[in-house]
Amino acid sequence: VSAWLAPRPGAASRADGALDGLRDVATRLEGRLRTVGSEPALILRVRGWVEQCEAALVLERRKATADLCGPLPVASPDASTVSGLDHCGVRAHVVAAARAVGPPEEWARYFATNSRTFSFASLLFPGHARSVVRGVYAFCRFTDDLVDESTLPNEQLVSVLDAWRELCREAYGGRQSGIPLVDVVLGDMASRDIPFQLAADLIEGVGMDITPRRYRSMADLRRYTYRVASVVGSWLTRAFGVQDPWVLERANALGHAMQLTNILRDVGEDLDMGRIYLPADRMAAHGVGKGSLIAMRDIGLVSEAYVALLEEIMTEADESYRIAFEGIPRLPGFFQRPVAVAAEVYRGIHEGIRRNGYDNLNRRARTGGLTKLRLAVKGMRRLRIARRQFRKAVPAVPRSRVRVG
């Protein structure tokens, strides 16, 4: 493996050369598929093969580095290295963790290993737009991991997030840190006149997970879903030149819908972490409490009342997906299909929950490769319908201006 990864005099490594050859073949194949009018889902599959190879090469290179130099830094500071440090010490460890994420060319691994749905949908973006999406995703994932993957006490986690917010604000203001994750992502955010408040809101939302809390109602929960999900949709929508408040509201709706789907999928995992995101008033209306969640998890059977609760929240999510689809035809053309595919594939998790007999306390609903392809086709079909409806309703509205570069 090391011989394949090692650079050659005046040339790239054998592995990089082979990957470049694969990219060329894939590009030619995509061209032929478009010429004969193949389904976009087939083009997705070709791009997916290349993405998997790129991610595998990144991981192998990191493994080789670890073998030679010892373990790589973890993605978030742990208690043994941070606990008891002052502000400067905490900041230094956050800097080290952020640097360990690596340069932009390594951010694809976040998609490949942590979010297969978004990775799948991102294959429909043109190259540079895909890089922007990967950068925002890497930033969000790292921020989330600062809390979820840490063993620090709560008070230290607050300091970690404060240090991270400070670094981000400095990078947004033009101060270079030498950390690609903040210099590139926040620098790009500033250059596109995207409000820093979106990044600050995301960090604030992640901080809401430090101390487990109960959400009294769906309106109460929406404050959380806005900070950890809706701001991401708004960020990306603004990144590609869309400032229309009506469209941004629908981007926020998509974030809310996807986060509700996340919550529905992860009830059991969250319960193990002492977290319950299901709105308390909806739980009470169906006669479901924390004790009954634990009991159902332990016996492996769910009640009819619990099924009704999940269906009610799925209905709430489905309505937000519907509202979100209204806005997709107003996005730049290159942005529409990836968003429609991501929305429909993510919504497909609801089908998985139902297939699992609503037991999201012990089983995690997943969408496999073939299911993703089927849902991608369904998403593009929904997009065509939404486009037709939009043209009938507002025939004179121009398409949003594109900003990719």
Side-chain angles (χ1 to χ4, degrees):
V1 173
S2 59
W4 266 79
L5 296 175
R8 296 171 291 176
S13 69
R14 289 184 178 86
D16 286 317
L19 187 56
D20 286 340
L22 179 62
R23 291 189 184 109
D24 290 341
V25 171
T27 299
R28 292 197 299 271
L29 180 56
E30 283 184 31
R32 292 175 183 173
L33 290 172
R34 287 194 181 92
T35 299
V36 300
S38 295
E39 282 287 333
L42 187 56
I43 297 174
L44 270 175
R45 175 57 66 91
V46 173
R47 291 186 186 176
W49 290 333
V50 177
E51 289 269 336
Q52 289 172 14
C53 292
E54 289 173 341
L57 180 56
V58 168
L59 292 174
E60 286 300 327
R61 185 166 280 129
R62 290 177 69 85
K63 288 177 185 176
T65 302
D67 290 341
L68 291 172
C69 306
L72 291 170
V74 294
S76 60
D78 61 35
S80 63
T81 58
V82 178
S83 184
L85 292 181
D86 59 13
H87 170 74
C88 292
V90 171
R91 180 183 169 105
H93 281 279
V94 173
V95 167
R99 282 187 176 140
V101 174
E105 55 266 26
E106 294 191 15
W107 295 346
R109 70 188 176 91
Y110 277 85
F111 270 10
T113 59
N114 293 307
S115 182
R116 294 179 181 178
T117 295
F118 290 124
S119 175
F120 177 78
S122 75
L123 299 176
L124 288 168
F125 280 109
H128 182 75
R130 196 182 314 150
S131 297
V132 173
V133 174
R134 284 176 176 171
V136 174
Y137 178 83
F139 175 86
C140 296
R141 184 73 193 194
F142 176 80
T143 303
D144 191 55
D145 284 350
L146 283 173
V147 170
D148 279 357
E149 300 301 320
S150 177
T151 57
L152 290 169
N154 289 348
E155 62 273 12
Q156 199 72 60
L157 284 175
V158 172
S159 298
V160 166
L161 288 183
D162 286 344
W164 180 234
R165 184 185 298 104
E166 182 180 79
L167 279 166
C168 293
R169 190 178 295 278
E170 290 171 1
Y172 185 84
R175 179 177 177 180
Q176 293 291 299
S177 66
I179 307 169
L181 186 61
V182 288
D183 291 344
V184 174
V185 176
L186 275 299
D188 182 77
M189 186 186 210
S191 72
R192 297 173 188 269
D193 296 322
I194 301 170
F196 177 76
Q197 189 59 45
L198 294 179
D201 283 342
L202 176 74
I203 296 170
E204 184 73 19
V206 170
M208 293 172 73
D209 284 335
I210 292 175
T211 302
R213 64 180 71 194
R214 293 300 305 275
Y215 294 92
R216 297 184 301 276
S217 63
M218 187 62 72
D220 190 25
L221 180 62
R222 190 177 282 269
R223 291 191 302 123
Y224 173 76
T225 65
Y226 171 79
R227 289 172 177 166
V228 299
S230 293
V231 296
V232 182
S234 182
W235 184 343
L236 289 173
T237 302
R238 292 169 186 263
F240 297 127
V242 180
Q243 303 291 339
D244 185 337
W246 186 88
V247 179
L248 292 173
E249 285 178 7
R250 278 142 187 83
N252 290 344
L254 182 56
H256 177 63
M258 287 181 161
Q259 191 60 32
L260 287 182
T261 298
N262 264 342
I263 289 168
L264 289 163
R265 180 193 63 195
D266 297 339
V267 172
E269 294 176 18
D270 290 331
L271 188 62
D272 290 340
M273 300 173 70
R275 301 171 181 172
I276 298 176
Y277 294 99
L278 302 173
D281 63 345
R282 296 297 83 212
M283 291 180 66
H286 291 279
V288 176
K290 181 179 179 180
S292 55
L293 292 179
I294 294 172
M296 287 187 288
R297 180 192 61 189
D298 290 346
I299 65 175
L301 293 173
V302 298
S303 66
E304 291 183 4
Y306 184 63
V307 170
L309 170 65
L310 297 185
E311 284 291 349
E312 180 178 334
I313 298 175
M314 285 186 205
T315 299
E316 164 80 16
D318 285 343
E319 176 61 11
S320 291
Y321 282 116
R322 184 195 65 77
I323 293 170
F325 256 91
E326 293 176 350
I328 297 178
R330 289 283 295 271
L331 298 174
F334 71 88
F335 198 15
Q336 293 179 17
R337 290 198 303 171
V339 173
V341 167
E344 195 61 34
V345 172
Y346 225 73
R347 183 171 170 265
I349 291 172
H350 297 178
E351 295 180 14
I353 292 172
R354 293 182 179 108
R355 282 196 303 270
N356 288 345
Y358 297 88
D359 185 9
N360 54 5
L361 297 161
N362 294 292
R363 303 174 66 185
R364 198 175 201 260
R366 302 180 186 278
T367 54
L370 291 177
T371 300
K372 281 184 171 67
L373 286 172
R374 174 178 62 80
L375 291 170
V377 171
K378 183 178 178 182
M380 286 185 277
R381 190 181 303 123
R382 284 190 69 183
L383 174 59
R384 287 194 293 271
I385 294 170
R387 284 170 171 167
R388 286 198 297 270
Q389 291 174 338
F390 178 71
R391 284 193 294 267
K392 289 179 181 178
V394 198
V397 174
R399 180 176 291 178
S400 300
R401 295 187 180 276
V402 179
R403 180 181 179 184
V404 179

